[in-house]
Amino acid sequence: MKSWPRPAVPAIPSLGETLELTDTPTGTTTAVNSRGNLASLYVCGITPYDATHLGHANTYVHFDVLVRYWLACGVEVNYVQNVTDIDDPLLERAEATGQDWRELAASQTDLFRADMQALRVIPPTTYMGAVEMIPGVVADVEKLLRLGVAYPVPAEDAAGDDYYFDIAAAEANTSWRLGSVGGYDRPTMEELFPDRGGDPQRRGKRDSLDPLLWRAARPGEPQWDGGSLGAGRPGWHIECSVIARRHLPAPFTLQGGGSDLRFPHHEFSAAHATACDGVPLAEHYMHTGMVGLHGEKMSKSRGNLVLVSELLAAGTDPQAVRTLLLSHHWREDWDYTPEDLAAAEARLQRWKTALARAPEHHGGEHDAAASAPSEKPHHVAGLGEPDELQYALHAALANNLNAPAALDTLDLWADGHVATGTARERVVDVVDALLGLDLSSPGH
Ligand code: 5CA
Ligand code: ZN
């Protein structure tokens, strides 16, 4: 499906690729390296039954910083994102509001695209809905059955069977182990499962945590040809497993999403993939923190939402929203307050005011055309020398994508403490390329 327009990303001299990230499976900081200058990324997309809230925006803006960092290292990024355009919550919402589920999904995905564009998020290379991938899901579930890691469970209210993934068989026959991706112990997983789409009470399952692969058609529900499985629709985890594996190498560099996807979603997407292909799904996992309101996780089901589109409609500068999000580390859980948004607006304005004071051009000794060939590594001809500001921002991101530290560097620059000689257009380019913040637009 179509994504959204790509913002212009200024070319800046590329610096060395060194990236350390807290990797979910181990919880420790790990070196993350692209392969042959190509990074492959899968970030789980939205379930489009309500508009983009600040929690979603937080997730996609922090992964956007990862994409921008890789690009600034001269690394090409193959980025895949899905849209869960068929799932229980979407159908439930459509029924509650009397809308056609397809129209609901299409309208909310459109809003999401507009919000991502306003926030200057670089679109994925491949944007794909679950519905588009159903034949691939059917093929994989059939394969899991042949391999003996899936089984049918009779459904009382359907003509056909539902199909479940067999955790015990997968542990016996593959390298995947329950908990090896999300990093949780069994009691924690049992606690989380029912709140995150799981059905521990379902009769006929071999293990209460076994996840659904294929749901047989129920009267009145949308359904697709399931080949030997019978008519029905896909389970959630197999959707991302299949979309990722059809578009990215195995294993790909990194899978991401909010921390609520650690279990069951990423645990089982990886389990299905490892069972099908014999190799892990991703090399690394990055899970961003949860954004809350009044002490509770912002969620469509709770309805305690601050919508990006509403903030923008009320006149908030999307760059201020981006500044607010980047002022929190990607691992942090935090609560939204209007005061913090106002502080982000003021901070952005301070940077814009400082920009007006920055020198218009580099001095002679910084002029790439006039200087001797660079002694610094990874210098790209024609783009000039990397300067102090770029080094400082790059270093902040290399260290666990520390966007708040990068913003602190901008504060120091605005206060005249670092990189004061950096030319105006270079500041604009470097801040835009690395952080996606456009300081050149007029302030108020
Ligand atoms: N479609 C699935 C993933 S395949 C899904 O989780 N959709 S979602 O619309 O519920 O969430 C989209 C993304 O936003 C996910 O990465 C999720 O982890 C993240 N997210 C949801 N709520 C919040 C929140 N309150 N704070 C931060 N991130 C959130
Ligand atoms: Zn997903």
PDB file of all heavy atoms in Angstrom, residues 22-48:
ATOM      1  N   THR A  22      20.493  -0.717  23.559  1.00  0.00           N
ATOM      2  CA  THR A  22      20.012  -1.693  24.536  1.00  0.00           C
ATOM      3  C   THR A  22      19.115  -2.688  23.796  1.00  0.00           C
ATOM      4  O   THR A  22      18.071  -2.318  23.270  1.00  0.00           O
ATOM      5  CB  THR A  22      19.218  -1.014  25.666  1.00  0.00           C
ATOM      6  OG1 THR A  22      20.001   0.053  26.186  1.00  0.00           O
ATOM      7  CG2 THR A  22      18.896  -2.007  26.774  1.00  0.00           C
ATOM      8  N   ASP A  23      19.568  -3.917  23.744  1.00  0.00           N
ATOM      9  CA  ASP A  23      18.893  -4.969  22.982  1.00  0.00           C
ATOM     10  C   ASP A  23      17.949  -5.706  23.940  1.00  0.00           C
ATOM     11  O   ASP A  23      18.377  -6.197  24.987  1.00  0.00           O
ATOM     12  CB  ASP A  23      19.992  -5.919  22.465  1.00  0.00           C
ATOM     13  CG  ASP A  23      19.535  -6.761  21.301  1.00  0.00           C
ATOM     14  OD1 ASP A  23      18.394  -6.569  20.831  1.00  0.00           O
ATOM     15  OD2 ASP A  23      20.326  -7.614  20.856  1.00  0.00           O
ATOM     16  N   THR A  24      16.672  -5.792  23.577  1.00  0.00           N
ATOM     17  CA  THR A  24      15.684  -6.349  24.511  1.00  0.00           C
ATOM     18  C   THR A  24      16.018  -7.757  25.035  1.00  0.00           C
ATOM     19  O   THR A  24      15.908  -7.991  26.243  1.00  0.00           O
ATOM     20  CB  THR A  24      14.283  -6.368  23.863  1.00  0.00           C
ATOM     21  OG1 THR A  24      13.969  -5.055  23.437  1.00  0.00           O
ATOM     22  CG2 THR A  24      13.230  -6.867  24.827  1.00  0.00           C
ATOM     23  N   PRO A  25      16.393  -8.711  24.159  1.00  0.00           N
ATOM     24  CA  PRO A  25      16.550 -10.087  24.677  1.00  0.00           C
ATOM     25  C   PRO A  25      17.519 -10.179  25.852  1.00  0.00           C
ATOM     26  O   PRO A  25      17.280 -10.943  26.787  1.00  0.00           O
ATOM     27  CB  PRO A  25      17.081 -10.858  23.470  1.00  0.00           C
ATOM     28  CG  PRO A  25      16.578 -10.104  22.287  1.00  0.00           C
ATOM     29  CD  PRO A  25      16.590  -8.656  22.699  1.00  0.00           C
ATOM     30  N   THR A  26      18.598  -9.408  25.819  1.00  0.00           N
ATOM     31  CA  THR A  26      19.581  -9.481  26.904  1.00  0.00           C
ATOM     32  C   THR A  26      19.420  -8.329  27.884  1.00  0.00           C
ATOM     33  O   THR A  26      19.916  -8.405  29.010  1.00  0.00           O
ATOM     34  CB  THR A  26      21.015  -9.418  26.340  1.00  0.00           C
ATOM     35  OG1 THR A  26      21.148  -8.190  25.611  1.00  0.00           O
ATOM     36  CG2 THR A  26      21.302 -10.588  25.424  1.00  0.00           C
ATOM     37  N   GLY A  27      18.785  -7.257  27.452  1.00  0.00           N
ATOM     38  CA  GLY A  27      18.670  -6.072  28.303  1.00  0.00           C
ATOM     39  C   GLY A  27      19.977  -5.322  28.441  1.00  0.00           C
ATOM     40  O   GLY A  27      20.084  -4.387  29.237  1.00  0.00           O
ATOM     41  N   THR A  28      20.972  -5.708  27.657  1.00  0.00           N
ATOM     42  CA  THR A  28      22.280  -5.043  27.754  1.00  0.00           C
ATOM     43  C   THR A  28      22.574  -4.242  26.488  1.00  0.00           C
ATOM     44  O   THR A  28      21.960  -4.464  25.441  1.00  0.00           O
ATOM     45  CB  THR A  28      23.414  -6.065  27.957  1.00  0.00           C
ATOM     46  OG1 THR A  28      23.390  -6.978  26.853  1.00  0.00           O
ATOM     47  CG2 THR A  28      23.240  -6.836  29.248  1.00  0.00           C
ATOM     48  N   THR A  29      23.535  -3.341  26.629  1.00  0.00           N
ATOM     49  CA  THR A  29      23.919  -2.509  25.491  1.00  0.00           C
ATOM     50  C   THR A  29      24.809  -3.323  24.562  1.00  0.00           C
ATOM     51  O   THR A  29      25.779  -3.931  24.993  1.00  0.00           O
ATOM     52  CB  THR A  29      24.659  -1.252  25.994  1.00  0.00           C
ATOM     53  OG1 THR A  29      23.880  -0.702  27.045  1.00  0.00           O
ATOM     54  CG2 THR A  29      24.818  -0.230  24.903  1.00  0.00           C
ATOM     55  N   THR A  30      24.441  -3.336  23.291  1.00  0.00           N
ATOM     56  CA  THR A  30      25.064  -4.231  22.321  1.00  0.00           C
ATOM     57  C   THR A  30      25.439  -3.444  21.069  1.00  0.00           C
ATOM     58  O   THR A  30      24.710  -2.529  20.683  1.00  0.00           O
ATOM     59  CB  THR A  30      24.032  -5.319  21.910  1.00  0.00           C
ATOM     60  OG1 THR A  30      23.443  -5.854  23.080  1.00  0.00           O
ATOM     61  CG2 THR A  30      24.647  -6.426  21.093  1.00  0.00           C
ATOM     62  N   ALA A  31      26.536  -3.819  20.434  1.00  0.00           N
ATOM     63  CA  ALA A  31      26.900  -3.187  19.161  1.00  0.00           C
ATOM     64  C   ALA A  31      25.947  -3.674  18.076  1.00  0.00           C
ATOM     65  O   ALA A  31      25.696  -4.873  17.944  1.00  0.00           O
ATOM     66  CB  ALA A  31      28.333  -3.541  18.794  1.00  0.00           C
ATOM     67  N   VAL A  32      25.397  -2.733  17.320  1.00  0.00           N
ATOM     68  CA  VAL A  32      24.486  -3.059  16.218  1.00  0.00           C
ATOM     69  C   VAL A  32      25.167  -2.648  14.921  1.00  0.00           C
ATOM     70  O   VAL A  32      25.484  -1.471  14.740  1.00  0.00           O
ATOM     71  CB  VAL A  32      23.142  -2.310  16.386  1.00  0.00           C
ATOM     72  CG1 VAL A  32      22.255  -2.478  15.159  1.00  0.00           C
ATOM     73  CG2 VAL A  32      22.416  -2.800  17.637  1.00  0.00           C
ATOM     74  N   ASN A  33      25.410  -3.610  14.057  1.00  0.00           N
ATOM     75  CA  ASN A  33      26.124  -3.312  12.810  1.00  0.00           C
ATOM     76  C   ASN A  33      25.281  -3.684  11.605  1.00  0.00           C
ATOM     77  O   ASN A  33      24.643  -4.732  11.588  1.00  0.00           O
ATOM     78  CB  ASN A  33      27.436  -4.120  12.748  1.00  0.00           C
ATOM     79  CG  ASN A  33      28.384  -3.717  13.859  1.00  0.00           C
ATOM     80  OD1 ASN A  33      28.664  -2.534  14.033  1.00  0.00           O
ATOM     81  ND2 ASN A  33      28.837  -4.693  14.629  1.00  0.00           N
ATOM     82  N   SER A  34      25.334  -2.813  10.602  1.00  0.00           N
ATOM     83  CA  SER A  34      24.688  -3.165   9.338  1.00  0.00           C
ATOM     84  C   SER A  34      25.560  -4.200   8.647  1.00  0.00           C
ATOM     85  O   SER A  34      26.692  -4.455   9.060  1.00  0.00           O
ATOM     86  CB  SER A  34      24.553  -1.930   8.457  1.00  0.00           C
ATOM     87  OG  SER A  34      25.824  -1.474   8.073  1.00  0.00           O
ATOM     88  N   ARG A  35      24.999  -4.819   7.606  1.00  0.00           N
ATOM     89  CA  ARG A  35      25.799  -5.807   6.866  1.00  0.00           C
ATOM     90  C   ARG A  35      26.071  -5.264   5.472  1.00  0.00           C
ATOM     91  O   ARG A  35      25.122  -4.949   4.746  1.00  0.00           O
ATOM     92  CB  ARG A  35      25.029  -7.128   6.774  1.00  0.00           C
ATOM     93  CG  ARG A  35      25.854  -8.270   7.369  1.00  0.00           C
ATOM     94  CD  ARG A  35      25.176  -9.594   7.180  1.00  0.00           C
ATOM     95  NE  ARG A  35      24.064  -9.771   8.115  1.00  0.00           N
ATOM     96  CZ  ARG A  35      23.050 -10.593   7.874  1.00  0.00           C
ATOM     97  NH1 ARG A  35      22.985 -11.266   6.758  1.00  0.00           N
ATOM     98  NH2 ARG A  35      22.085 -10.740   8.764  1.00  0.00           N
ATOM     99  N   GLY A  36      27.355  -5.146   5.130  1.00  0.00           N
ATOM    100  CA  GLY A  36      27.706  -4.651   3.798  1.00  0.00           C
ATOM    101  C   GLY A  36      27.078  -3.297   3.522  1.00  0.00           C
ATOM    102  O   GLY A  36      26.586  -3.052   2.424  1.00  0.00           O
ATOM    103  N   ASN A  37      27.077  -2.449   4.546  1.00  0.00           N
ATOM    104  CA  ASN A  37      26.526  -1.098   4.406  1.00  0.00           C
ATOM    105  C   ASN A  37      25.019  -1.073   4.142  1.00  0.00           C
ATOM    106  O   ASN A  37      24.495  -0.103   3.614  1.00  0.00           O
ATOM    107  CB  ASN A  37      27.244  -0.325   3.298  1.00  0.00           C
ATOM    108  CG  ASN A  37      28.015   0.831   3.896  1.00  0.00           C
ATOM    109  OD1 ASN A  37      28.338   0.822   5.089  1.00  0.00           O
ATOM    110  ND2 ASN A  37      28.300   1.832   3.096  1.00  0.00           N
ATOM    111  N   LEU A  38      24.347  -2.154   4.481  1.00  0.00           N
ATOM    112  CA  LEU A  38      22.895  -2.205   4.327  1.00  0.00           C
ATOM    113  C   LEU A  38      22.281  -2.626   5.667  1.00  0.00           C
ATOM    114  O   LEU A  38      22.634  -3.674   6.207  1.00  0.00           O
ATOM    115  CB  LEU A  38      22.524  -3.214   3.241  1.00  0.00           C
ATOM    116  CG  LEU A  38      21.026  -3.359   2.975  1.00  0.00           C
ATOM    117  CD1 LEU A  38      20.479  -2.121   2.278  1.00  0.00           C
ATOM    118  CD2 LEU A  38      20.746  -4.587   2.124  1.00  0.00           C
ATOM    119  N   ALA A  39      21.395  -1.781   6.186  1.00  0.00           N
ATOM    120  CA  ALA A  39      20.679  -2.126   7.416  1.00  0.00           C
ATOM    121  C   ALA A  39      19.259  -2.501   7.036  1.00  0.00           C
ATOM    122  O   ALA A  39      18.672  -1.897   6.131  1.00  0.00           O
ATOM    123  CB  ALA A  39      20.674  -0.945   8.373  1.00  0.00           C
ATOM    124  N   SER A  40      18.702  -3.492   7.714  1.00  0.00           N
ATOM    125  CA  SER A  40      17.326  -3.885   7.417  1.00  0.00           C
ATOM    126  C   SER A  40      16.501  -3.789   8.698  1.00  0.00           C
ATOM    127  O   SER A  40      16.899  -4.286   9.756  1.00  0.00           O
ATOM    128  CB  SER A  40      17.278  -5.289   6.817  1.00  0.00           C
ATOM    129  OG  SER A  40      18.242  -6.135   7.405  1.00  0.00           O
ATOM    130  N   LEU A  41      15.371  -3.120   8.564  1.00  0.00           N
ATOM    131  CA  LEU A  41      14.588  -2.726   9.736  1.00  0.00           C
ATOM    132  C   LEU A  41      13.122  -3.061   9.530  1.00  0.00           C
ATOM    133  O   LEU A  41      12.561  -2.801   8.464  1.00  0.00           O
ATOM    134  CB  LEU A  41      14.741  -1.202   9.918  1.00  0.00           C
ATOM    135  CG  LEU A  41      13.876  -0.510  10.966  1.00  0.00           C
ATOM    136  CD1 LEU A  41      14.300  -0.927  12.374  1.00  0.00           C
ATOM    137  CD2 LEU A  41      13.990   1.016  10.831  1.00  0.00           C
ATOM    138  N   TYR A  42      12.505  -3.635  10.552  1.00  0.00           N
ATOM    139  CA  TYR A  42      11.048  -3.835  10.533  1.00  0.00           C
ATOM    140  C   TYR A  42      10.488  -3.184  11.787  1.00  0.00           C
ATOM    141  O   TYR A  42      10.886  -3.532  12.904  1.00  0.00           O
ATOM    142  CB  TYR A  42      10.707  -5.332  10.534  1.00  0.00           C
ATOM    143  CG  TYR A  42       9.231  -5.618  10.348  1.00  0.00           C
ATOM    144  CD1 TYR A  42       8.731  -5.941   9.092  1.00  0.00           C
ATOM    145  CD2 TYR A  42       8.341  -5.552  11.419  1.00  0.00           C
ATOM    146  CE1 TYR A  42       7.373  -6.203   8.910  1.00  0.00           C
ATOM    147  CE2 TYR A  42       6.989  -5.802  11.244  1.00  0.00           C
ATOM    148  CZ  TYR A  42       6.512  -6.132   9.988  1.00  0.00           C
ATOM    149  OH  TYR A  42       5.168  -6.386   9.811  1.00  0.00           O
ATOM    150  N   VAL A  43       9.614  -2.217  11.601  1.00  0.00           N
ATOM    151  CA  VAL A  43       8.942  -1.604  12.747  1.00  0.00           C
ATOM    152  C   VAL A  43       7.451  -1.884  12.612  1.00  0.00           C
ATOM    153  O   VAL A  43       6.849  -1.626  11.561  1.00  0.00           O
ATOM    154  CB  VAL A  43       9.198  -0.078  12.814  1.00  0.00           C
ATOM    155  CG1 VAL A  43       8.458   0.533  14.006  1.00  0.00           C
ATOM    156  CG2 VAL A  43      10.688   0.218  12.930  1.00  0.00           C
ATOM    157  N   CYS A  44       6.875  -2.448  13.673  1.00  0.00           N
ATOM    158  CA  CYS A  44       5.456  -2.785  13.636  1.00  0.00           C
ATOM    159  C   CYS A  44       4.610  -1.529  13.489  1.00  0.00           C
ATOM    160  O   CYS A  44       4.816  -0.540  14.201  1.00  0.00           O
ATOM    161  CB  CYS A  44       5.073  -3.551  14.895  1.00  0.00           C
ATOM    162  SG  CYS A  44       5.599  -5.264  14.763  1.00  0.00           S
ATOM    163  N   GLY A  45       3.658  -1.573  12.572  1.00  0.00           N
ATOM    164  CA  GLY A  45       2.831  -0.407  12.287  1.00  0.00           C
ATOM    165  C   GLY A  45       1.556  -0.373  13.105  1.00  0.00           C
ATOM    166  O   GLY A  45       1.361  -1.180  14.023  1.00  0.00           O
ATOM    167  N   ILE A  46       0.674   0.512  12.732  1.00  0.00           N
ATOM    168  CA  ILE A  46      -0.545   0.726  13.528  1.00  0.00           C
ATOM    169  C   ILE A  46      -1.639  -0.304  13.210  1.00  0.00           C
ATOM    170  O   ILE A  46      -1.648  -0.916  12.154  1.00  0.00           O
ATOM    171  CB  ILE A  46      -1.132   2.139  13.288  1.00  0.00           C
ATOM    172  CG1 ILE A  46      -1.352   2.395  11.788  1.00  0.00           C
ATOM    173  CG2 ILE A  46      -0.256   3.197  13.909  1.00  0.00           C
ATOM    174  CD1 ILE A  46      -2.349   3.487  11.484  1.00  0.00           C
ATOM    175  N   THR A  47      -2.546  -0.432  14.161  1.00  0.00           N
ATOM    176  CA  THR A  47      -3.838  -1.070  13.906  1.00  0.00           C
ATOM    177  C   THR A  47      -4.803   0.098  13.727  1.00  0.00           C
ATOM    178  O   THR A  47      -5.062   0.840  14.686  1.00  0.00           O
ATOM    179  CB  THR A  47      -4.256  -1.958  15.097  1.00  0.00           C
ATOM    180  OG1 THR A  47      -3.200  -2.884  15.350  1.00  0.00           O
ATOM    181  CG2 THR A  47      -5.529  -2.729  14.784  1.00  0.00           C
ATOM    182  N   PRO A  48      -5.288   0.312  12.503  1.00  0.00           N
ATOM    183  CA  PRO A  48      -5.927   1.602  12.201  1.00  0.00           C
ATOM    184  C   PRO A  48      -7.403   1.669  12.597  1.00  0.00           C
ATOM    185  O   PRO A  48      -8.271   1.772  11.754  1.00  0.00           O
ATOM    186  CB  PRO A  48      -5.758   1.706  10.683  1.00  0.00           C
ATOM    187  CG  PRO A  48      -5.736   0.286  10.220  1.00  0.00           C
ATOM    188  CD  PRO A  48      -5.165  -0.541  11.323  1.00  0.00           C
TER     189      PRO A  48
END
